[in-house]
Amino acid sequence: MTDRRTPPEGSGPLPMTMQRLQELFDAYGARSDRWPLSELAGALTLLRDSAEARQRRDEAARLDAVLDRAVTRAPSPGLLDRVLATASGVRPPIARTAPCRHPNDHRTPSDGPLYVHPPRQAARRWRSVAAAASFAAAAAAVALWLAGPSGTPHDTGTPAAVAVLGTYSTPTDTLLETENLSVVDSLPAFGCSDGEWGCPELDLAQEHSTTGMRRRIHV
Amino acid sequence: MGAPGTSETPVSDDTLVARVGAGDALACRELAERHLGRIVSFAYRMLGNHADAEDVAQEVFVRLWTHAARWHPGGARLTTWLHRVALNLCHDRWARVRERPMEAAANLPDPRPSPAMMLHERDIARHVSAALESLPERQRAAIALCHYQGLGNIEAAGVMEISVEALESLLARGRRGLRARLAAIAPHLLGER
């Protein structure tokens, strides 16, 4: 094994004591290829120099030998084919269904399920399509506006008609006054007239201006 | 023997996973042939049941096929990832067993040795397996990863998402428990009277 515990950077081999050697036997057993690399040299030196260390190693080796006699099971003959059959039915997930990760999330596969890249390329592609579609729609709207009937929506007729009919510029009450008619008397009688039910009690006699009346009614 | 410079270097796991992500069926086969046996063995150590172990192993590879396109080369080793997924699936199965206490009690081996067990040395292998199954889950996982799967302490600690010191503690307690159980069954094998 190559990935045993390594000593801190800049430090030398860790000192080996009988107690620590026993801890190695207790945890990893008697085989030196299972011990942390950083402690291997010290452990081997102690083993060479100490009969007690060798005796303890032999005790650990006996347990190793018994553990090695545990039942082992090889895969069934058909398992490989079943596993490969699952490969044919599995498709990689669609990129946009993959979970996005926070930009500061730097977990690696060793921290859990495989690293999942956010679908950045797909998002960029969709943003480009959306921008192009927006531009095309705006251009079409301008073209329709330019190709439509000339003139503004406020035009009420041709110049000839305006010359005949004239342009309205005098308030209605002023026009009525020239015929001795009151604008109040000409109001239609509709809606609520009972103040008890919350209808506004309008003193329309006091109001003669069109704009003023409109203001009161809308209060 | 081939000519110098023509010997083929085994394709790395990372390369094979990338090819699986691209839909290469041959890469699927090569990865399965390379790792399936180890994963079955590990799941069997954890669950003590061959059929369950093969179900777990199959699910591990289904997940590998599914995630292969998103594999991040240069990150964790594939063996680490496979063992971690297998261990998580074993945890799921233990959790389901715990929800059925009566059934679980019926399936768990009796750690107490019977006189017959002490007499028949030919059953040592079965007794060792039973002793392993009687260990607490985390101790069993630590011993399975380090002793049987041959993972280094750093990789095994990574699979279990614990520190190396915590792994050593689990290993030591696990081996101590195994020694006690096996000493009651076959003391002569351990040099005890």
Side-chain angles (χ1 to χ4, degrees):
Chain A
M1 293 296 102
T2 57
D3 51 345
R4 295 297 183 191
R5 196 169 59 180
T6 54
E9 195 172 339
S11 65
L14 298 176
M16 181 56 59
T17 63
M18 189 64 75
Q19 181 184 346
R20 177 57 187 161
L21 186 62
Q22 183 62 57
E23 290 173 357
L24 294 182
F25 295 148
D26 290 343
Y28 302 105
R31 288 176 51 177
S32 59
D33 62 344
R34 290 174 172 157
W35 302 341
L37 274 179
S38 59
E39 300 175 275
L40 180 59
L44 292 176
T45 301
L46 188 54
L47 276 172
R48 184 194 62 202
D49 297 340
S50 168
E52 182 187 356
R54 291 192 293 274
Q55 182 182 351
R56 293 186 181 197
R57 179 200 57 191
D58 293 344
E59 289 177 9
R62 279 193 284 272
L63 178 58
D64 286 345
V66 176
L67 294 182
D68 288 342
R69 296 174 69 167
V71 175
T72 58
R73 300 299 294 263
S76 301
L79 181 61
L80 179 63
D81 289 338
R82 293 202 300 275
V83 166
L84 293 177
T86 63
S88 62
V90 172
R91 293 287 180 272
I94 299 170
R96 63 175 175 272
T97 63
C100 293
R101 298 170 72 116
H102 189 275
N104 293 332
D105 188 350
H106 300 301
R107 284 176 293 175
T108 65
S110 64
D111 301 318
L114 293 181
Y115 184 88
V116 178
H117 290 289
R120 291 177 186 149
Q121 290 186 340
R124 274 194 220 109
R125 207 161 39 239
W126 278 108
R127 277 198 294 271
S128 302
V129 171
S134 301
F135 179 77
V142 170
L144 286 173
W145 179 71
L146 292 175
S150 60
T152 67
H154 299 291
D155 286 343
T156 55
T158 63
V162 172
V164 172
L165 299 174
T167 302
Y168 174 80
S169 60
T170 307
T172 303
D173 49 356
T174 305
L175 292 172
L176 291 173
E177 281 173 357
T178 61
E179 301 297 329
N180 292 323
L181 295 173
S182 169
V183 70
V184 175
D185 295 338
S186 67
L187 284 175
F190 63 89
C192 178
S193 60
D194 190 346
E196 189 175 346
W197 289 89
C199 296
E201 295 179 356
L202 302 178
D203 185 7
L204 298 179
Q206 301 297 319
E207 296 293 340
H208 297 286
S209 114
T210 304
T211 53
M213 187 169 62
R214 184 182 299 121
R215 189 162 55 243
R216 284 290 302 273
I217 289 173
H218 285 271
V219 165
Chain B
M1 187 165 179
T6 60
S7 61
E8 290 187 11
T9 304
V11 180
S12 72
D13 284 344
D14 278 351
T15 302
L16 287 175
V17 174
R19 283 167 50 188
V20 169
D24 185 341
L26 288 177
C28 292
R29 172 173 287 278
E30 190 157 352
L31 276 177
E33 288 176 342
R34 193 178 286 186
H35 296 287
L36 181 60
R38 287 188 79 196
I39 298 305
V40 169
S41 176
F42 175 62
Y44 178 70
R45 294 269 177 256
M46 300 309 299
L47 299 171
N49 179 288
H50 196 225
D52 287 347
E54 293 203 340
D55 285 348
V56 164
Q58 185 167 326
E59 178 62 23
V60 168
F61 280 88
V62 167
R63 295 189 182 198
L64 177 59
W65 311 147
T66 305
H67 292 280
R70 301 197 300 266
W71 179 254
H72 193 56
R77 295 171 59 178
L78 181 63
T79 53
T80 305
W81 188 84
L82 292 172
H83 280 94
R84 178 179 293 181
V85 173
L87 182 58
N88 288 339
L89 291 170
C90 291
H91 278 306
D92 292 345
R93 285 176 181 260
W94 286 326
R96 284 201 293 273
V97 168
R98 275 194 292 268
E99 290 171 1
R100 295 172 290 176
M102 295 305 292
E103 185 178 338
N107 288 337
L108 286 175
D110 186 351
R112 295 170 300 177
S114 67
M117 291 169 72
M118 298 176 68
L119 293 175
H120 297 290
E121 191 175 322
R122 66 173 183 267
D123 289 332
I124 289 293
R126 188 167 58 84
H127 298 330
V128 173
S129 296
L132 275 168
E133 289 175 42
S134 69
L135 287 179
E137 294 168 5
R138 284 157 57 83
Q139 294 177 22
R140 196 187 328 167
I143 289 180
L145 290 169
C146 289
H147 186 88
Y148 292 107
Q149 300 299 108
L151 268 59
N153 56 353
I154 292 175
E155 186 173 12
V159 169
M160 297 184 68
E161 298 180 291
I162 57 177
S163 67
V164 170
E165 289 73 20
L167 176 77
E168 276 193 10
S169 174
L170 287 172
L171 285 169
R173 282 184 283 153
R175 286 175 62 96
R176 197 158 49 241
L178 286 172
R179 175 183 288 278
R181 286 169 174 81
L182 294 170
I185 297 168
H188 57 287
L189 292 177
L190 295 170
E192 299 180 6
R193 298 292 181 268

